Amino acid sequence: MRRQSWLHALLLFGIVVMLITGCGKSDSSWTTFEGAANEKTFPVPKEANRTDRNVGNTKIDYVRYSMNGLKEKESIPDVYLEKIKEWGWRENTDESEDASRVFEKQNRIVHLSIHDNYFTVTVLAKGKATVKSTDSTKP
């Protein structure tokens, strides 16, 4: 009888370990990309999940993607920046900041903003007003 209780306890422990391991947060792989929902020529990781899209506003078109492991203070991962350049986008360093970057391609402007566990892709036609920071400590 005592032997069976140990086997049950061991079995239960194994199931709990598998559940915890399977449900744990995994880091992003940054290996496969697809076009953003609002700008098909701008890459976003395939594993990012679209959570919100601005519809009906002709002045600003943004899509929000959730992605575990992103940190605003760590900025945009280098592998993602390289992929954006491979897709033909050029960074406008005058408009860019650490976690908010501006990219241009032909007559399109894309603002990429990194936040904790999500990012936004905002598209503007070239010549329209740029998106300014809402942080009151910045000019």
Side-chain angles (χ1 to χ4, degrees):
M1 187 75 169
R2 188 166 178 93
R3 182 180 169 137
Q4 282 184 334
S5 61
W6 274 102
L7 287 175
H8 284 112
L10 184 61
L11 179 63
L12 182 61
F13 177 75
I15 291 171
V16 168
V17 167
M18 287 190 313
L19 284 172
I20 291 172
T21 304
C23 296
K25 183 171 75 171
S26 63
D27 290 333
S28 303
S29 63
W30 301 100
T31 56
T32 57
F33 296 84
E34 62 187 2
N38 55 345
E39 177 57 59
K40 296 298 182 198
T41 66
F42 191 84
V44 295
K46 273 192 173 182
E47 59 196 295
N49 295 311
R50 188 174 92 186
T51 59
D52 188 22
R53 179 163 186 188
N54 185 26
V55 179
N57 186 340
T58 58
K59 294 185 180 187
I60 192 167
D61 184 9
Y62 76 87
V63 179
R64 179 178 168 168
Y65 292 90
S66 66
M67 193 162 181
N68 288 334
L70 283 179
K71 299 292 180 201
E72 184 173 351
K73 64 183 176 184
E74 295 174 6
S75 188
I76 299 172
D78 289 337
V79 65
Y80 190 22
L81 288 173
E82 289 301 317
K83 186 58 70 173
I84 292 168
K85 290 174 185 174
E86 282 179 27
W87 281 41
W89 290 86
R90 182 182 55 83
E91 184 174 3
N92 181 336
T93 54
D94 294 337
E95 297 284 330
S96 295
E97 297 177 6
D98 290 335
S100 181
R101 304 284 182 95
V102 179
F103 298 93
E104 296 180 17
K105 182 177 180 179
Q106 297 168 350
N107 65 341
R108 304 293 282 174
I109 298 173
V110 170
H111 290 254
L112 177 65
S113 299
I114 302 294
H115 307 275
D116 291 344
N117 295 317
Y118 75 95
F119 65 95
T120 58
V121 177
T122 306
V123 178
L124 298 170
K126 197 166 187 171
K128 287 189 177 182
T130 59
V131 176
K132 296 294 182 184
S133 173
T134 57
D135 186 354
S136 61
T137 61
K138 294 181 181 176

